[in-house]
Amino acid sequence: MGAYIARRLLLIIPTLLGVMLINFFLVQFVPGGPIEQVIARMEGQGNVFGAFDGAGADVNAGAMENERYQGARGLPPEFIEQLEREFGFDKPPLERFLHMIWNYMRFDFGESYFRSISVVDLVAEKLPVSITLGLWSTLIAYAVSIPLGIRKATRDGTRFDTFTSGLIIVAYAIPGFLFAILLLVLFAGGSYYQIFPARGLTSPQEVWDTLSPIGKVLDYLWHITLPVIASTISAFATLTLLTKNSFLDEIRKQYVMTARAKGLMENRVLYGHVFRNAMLIVIAGFPAVFVGVFFGGSLIIETIFSLDGLGRLGFEAVVARDYPVMFGTLFVFSLLGLVVGLISDLMYVWIDPRIDFESRET
């Protein structure tokens, strides 16, 4: 197993390199870089995309043919050169990429172009929010899906199975962002009830400081309820059906019939014999489910509920062309995904020692 872990850890390096390489060179062809952002802010446009939506076309038409940057006409060349030096654009793309990778190998992600704060500090500040959302969503999905899936498997074909399957299909079909908006409208003061807060992970600081330790825990749970429910719905549907199908496959096997023939109680058969084998694929997939919730729902849910997490940070960095933050969050997301994939494989071995990855041909 040690050799397998070593191989997987070594494979993380070229995989990360490939991810960063592809995204870095794709960015080179995207209009509206950080220099254009600075120029747009100087001209009061707020961001560079105002130059592409048709607004101000009468001013800029015919004036941009010889300009390297949108909106740079009339600015001193020395100012543009200074911006290029500050952002590192005075060097060719390959040199910039190699310099970035060398820094990333030392976990030096640089400093944000527009926030005057290091990327490491930004990621460290936002990451707990995204991890909290992903972890709670995954735990609740497992806590509901496993008992429900087992119940559906033992009552396969009954009205209960048919009814819950219909609910699961509806839940799976509803997009997470649409369900989040529905929760806001119904329970966060949108049009009906003001039960839960509409934004944030905790109450304002002046209120938070006055709360007791138990009050802070309750306040946190009060704020996180709607975002967790919104991000759990799709994972809940998938896990329930996966649990049911895994149990059905095991229940039909010969050893289960033998256990029943010996007179064992049904619960003893299900939880003493079937559960361990049926739960292999479900429990071992916990890290993968967490990453799926963490990656897939973080941006949308964080934006809708105004949670200041890593997904929202990455999105804002892409819009603002804040390359250090953008590539820093990409690196963190990719690294987390690869490490969690390895953990998922190791959980298979931990749950069922019969699995031996080292015996596979490489």
Side-chain angles (χ1 to χ4, degrees), residues 165-179:
S165 294
L167 291 179
I168 288 171
I169 292 172
V170 171
Y172 186 75
I174 298 176
F177 74 91
L178 185 61
F179 190 63

Side-chain angles (χ1 to χ4, degrees), residues 68-90:
R68 293 178 56 192
Y69 301 106
Q70 282 282 358
R73 183 177 179 83
L75 293 176
E78 296 80 7
F79 176 74
I80 300 299
E81 291 175 1
Q82 181 183 354
L83 288 178
E84 289 179 337
R85 286 193 300 271
E86 290 180 359
F87 292 139
F89 293 147
D90 55 333

